[in-house]
Amino acid sequence: MKQIDVCLTPDLLHQYELKNKIVVVVDILRATSCMVSGMANGVKEIVPVATLEECKDLQDLGYLAAAERNGSKADGFDMGNSPFEYMEEKVKGKKVAVTTTNGTLAIHKSLAAKEILIGAFLNLKAVSEYLKNKEEDVIVLCAGWKGKFNLEDTLFAGALCHHLRGVFEFACDAPLAAEAMYLIAKNDMMKYMQDSSHAKRLAKLNVVKDIEFCIQESIYDIIPYLSGKSLLGKK
Amino acid sequence: MKQIDVCLTPDLLHQYELKNKIVVVVDILRATSCMVSGMANGVKEIVPVATLEECKDLQDLGYLAAAERNGSKADGFDMGNSPFEYMEEKVKGKKVAVTTTNGTLAIHKSLAAKEILIGAFLNLKAVSEYLKNKEEDVIVLCAGWKGKFNLEDTLFAGALCHHLRGVFEFACDAPLAAEAMYLIAKNDMMKYMQDSSHAKRLAKLNVVKDIEFCIQESIYDIIPYLSGKSLLGKK
């Protein structure tokens, strides 16, 4: 049977063999939720970059530049890291360059994989259906917070494992634990999210609305995937 | 308020500041369960070492030598890694040298801490009462399995966090997640343990009896602690 595994933070990625596998990168608050929202609302292409400087360079080439540092929009950029900014009229048909604290790093660390997909609660069903129809083993890579474990990415990993149970074998204890977490949290996701340290940080920045948006399951059917240095969308 | 944090595997320990903190090392299956059982049953001193060679050297000096590699007793040693071997008549009053795959490594990685304690379900209440009466912040270090996250150590971490809720503040999401895991598992611990990948490995080696023993809560009141290179016991 195909296997699914969960890497709880990018700091543990050295333990995983990525070759010939599909990696699903998740950074629920808020990088991958933004990517999915943007693609679902007409963004043509998203280029994840590691530094503010690279992001600025692409801005000079005509990209919309999105940058968040420690939860807030960085100075001189077109967009921050709220999914609602990725749904505005001005983004339609545009290319967006984005740098985030954790999500971009997770994508860059996954380049040895056969395929890199962007996952979020927003496109959960689309991702799980896509994976069911593929031959490859899967690793869900939680972007975490500065290398540390975080709750919301683990809950997504658990949701995906739960949807794939029976079709994929759980490779170790992390999928089991993540699924158990998801099953206890799913009926009151907002409460669990509000308890999480990351949500507490964000709550200080008045982004409860963002969080409520990001925990909606399967409202979009688009899957961003890495092609060269860009994320494109497939359905 | 004092803080408690959980480090899910030794591979993430670089993210934690250990200075002036108490580290509780846990390797439920089976190193720390053995240490607690041994001390509760008359073992005088336990020296955790990293290699089979160091363990042999101490055997030449009169120590009982305990060594497990990949779940089985290593050739030429006096004991393996079953808690029942640590409760035999021959261990009373003796010094034991022990090398294990994960537990010893976790202890050696924690040397920067102010104090290192050995935790297991077997001495859960003793450890939590001890910590309540101390001033220091606490880090629970899960030994994991070859650097990977494992379920049984996380369940212990969650149990300890649950016992310390209200007295300690949870420092990040890992204590929250571990506690939630514990609360769903605690009424049927054996089922959760049997689902875990580590228990599955061990089950092949006929150690279900060991597992049933190791998940008993608070049957001993001794706390092994590191003193120099040795573990001694305190009540």
Side-chain angles (χ1 to χ4, degrees):
Chain A
M1 199 188 280
K2 297 182 285 186
Q3 289 204 325
I4 186 164
D5 209 340
V6 173
C7 180
L8 294 168
T9 99
D11 276 21
L12 294 176
L13 199 59
H14 59 279
Q15 299 173 350
Y16 296 77
E17 172 66 52
L18 302 185
K19 202 181 161 192
N20 296 325
K21 293 184 182 165
I22 299 175
V23 171
V24 179
V25 173
V26 55
D27 183 4
I28 293 296
L29 298 177
R30 293 166 279 174
T32 62
S33 298
C34 286
M35 290 165 178
V36 172
S37 304
M39 291 263 166
N41 286 280
V43 171
K44 195 174 152 191
E45 180 185 329
I46 296 174
V47 182
V49 295
T51 64
L52 293 173
E53 293 64 34
E54 291 170 89
C55 204
K56 276 278 185 196
D57 289 347
L58 287 168
Q59 192 180 32
D60 293 342
L61 295 175
Y63 284 70
L64 289 175
E68 164 262 327
R69 280 296 177 269
N70 299 313
S72 296
K73 175 174 154 178
D75 287 341
F77 287 79
D78 303 303
M79 304 151 71
N81 198 13
S82 164
F84 295 104
E85 293 175 277
Y86 282 75
M87 296 155 70
E88 291 173 6
E89 197 57 35
K90 71 175 181 187
V91 305
K92 288 199 198 307
K94 292 288 172 56
K95 297 178 177 185
V96 175
V98 59
T99 172
T100 68
T101 319
N102 307 295
T104 302
L105 183 68
I107 293 170
H108 284 190
K109 279 195 165 185
S110 305
L111 294 176
K114 183 169 183 186
E115 193 171 353
I116 298 173
L117 307 178
I118 298 301
F121 287 110
L122 302 170
N123 70 348
L124 173 60
K125 191 173 174 200
V127 171
S128 67
E129 292 302 314
Y130 179 83
L131 294 174
K132 282 180 189 171
N133 291 318
K134 300 287 284 187
E135 299 291 321
E136 289 81 7
D137 291 339
V138 170
I139 292 171
V140 188
L141 173 57
C142 300
W145 179 261
K146 297 184 180 177
K148 289 191 85 172
F149 170 88
N150 85 23
L151 195 61
E152 64 273 13
D153 297 342
T154 306
L155 290 175
F156 170 82
L160 188 58
C161 289
H162 187 60
H163 278 71
L164 295 177
R165 190 180 256 281
V167 183
F168 285 78
E169 184 180 41
F170 291 0
C172 77
D173 282 0
L176 263 182
E179 185 195 37
M181 289 294 307
Y182 169 69
L183 292 175
I184 55 169
K186 77 186 178 97
N187 292 324
D188 196 358
M189 193 68 87
M190 198 63 196
K191 178 189 163 295
Y192 270 84
M193 296 294 284
Q194 283 173 331
D195 280 348
S196 90
S197 58
H198 193 171
K200 279 181 187 160
R201 266 190 300 276
L202 292 178
K204 291 178 191 156
L205 302 162
N206 298 314
V207 286
V208 172
K209 215 176 113 199
D210 284 2
I211 299 174
E212 285 171 343
F213 181 81
C214 293
I215 61 179
Q216 298 174 100
E217 276 190 20
S218 309
I219 63 169
Y220 296 132
D221 59 0
I222 199 151
I223 307 172
Y225 67 97
L226 196 69
S227 171
K229 295 187 169 184
S230 301
L231 295 167
L232 304 175
K234 60 178 150 196
K235 292 195 177 185
Chain B
M1 199 187 283
K2 297 181 286 185
Q3 289 204 325
I4 187 165
D5 208 342
V6 173
C7 180
L8 294 168
T9 98
D11 276 20
L12 293 176
L13 199 59
H14 60 278
Q15 298 173 351
Y16 296 77
E17 172 66 51
L18 301 185
K19 203 182 160 191
N20 297 324
K21 294 184 182 165
I22 299 175
V23 171
V24 180
V25 173
V26 54
D27 183 5
I28 293 296
L29 299 178
R30 294 166 282 172
T32 63
S33 298
C34 286
M35 290 165 179
V36 172
S37 304
M39 291 263 165
N41 286 280
V43 171
K44 194 174 151 193
E45 180 186 329
I46 296 174
V47 182
V49 295
T51 65
L52 293 173
E53 292 65 34
E54 291 169 89
C55 204
K56 277 278 185 197
D57 289 347
L58 287 168
Q59 191 180 33
D60 294 341
L61 296 175
Y63 285 70
L64 290 175
E68 163 264 326
R69 281 298 177 267
N70 298 315
S72 297
K73 174 174 154 179
D75 288 342
F77 287 79
D78 303 302
M79 302 151 72
N81 199 14
S82 164
F84 294 105
E85 294 175 278
Y86 282 74
M87 297 155 69
E88 290 173 7
E89 199 56 34
K90 70 173 182 189
V91 306
K92 287 198 199 309
K94 293 287 172 56
K95 297 177 176 185
V96 176
V98 58
T99 172
T100 68
T101 319
N102 307 294
T104 302
L105 182 68
I107 292 169
H108 285 189
K109 279 196 167 186
S110 304
L111 295 175
K114 183 170 183 185
E115 194 173 352
I116 298 173
L117 307 179
I118 299 300
F121 286 111
L122 302 170
N123 71 346
L124 172 60
K125 191 174 174 200
V127 171
S128 67
E129 292 303 314
Y130 179 82
L131 294 173
K132 281 180 189 171
N133 291 317
K134 300 287 285 186
E135 299 291 321
E136 289 80 7
D137 291 339
V138 170
I139 292 171
V140 189
L141 173 57
C142 299
W145 179 262
K146 298 184 179 176
K148 290 191 86 173
F149 170 87
N150 85 24
L151 195 61
E152 63 274 12
D153 297 342
T154 306
L155 290 175
F156 170 82
L160 188 57
C161 289
H162 186 60
H163 279 70
L164 294 176
R165 189 179 259 282
V167 184
F168 285 78
E169 185 181 41
F170 290 2
C172 76
D173 282 1
L176 263 182
E179 185 195 37
M181 289 294 306
Y182 169 69
L183 291 175
I184 54 168
K186 77 186 176 98
N187 292 324
D188 195 358
M189 194 69 87
M190 199 63 196
K191 178 189 163 296
Y192 271 84
M193 296 295 282
Q194 283 175 330
D195 280 347
S196 89
S197 58
H198 193 172
K200 280 181 186 159
R201 266 190 301 275
L202 292 178
K204 291 178 190 156
L205 303 162
N206 297 314
V207 287
V208 172
K209 215 176 113 199
D210 284 2
I211 299 175
E212 285 171 344
F213 182 80
C214 292
I215 60 179
Q216 297 174 101
E217 277 190 20
S218 308
I219 64 168
Y220 296 133
D221 60 0
I222 200 150
I223 307 172
Y225 67 97
L226 196 70
S227 171
K229 293 187 168 181
S230 300
L231 295 167
L232 304 175
K234 62 177 150 197
K235 290 194 180 186

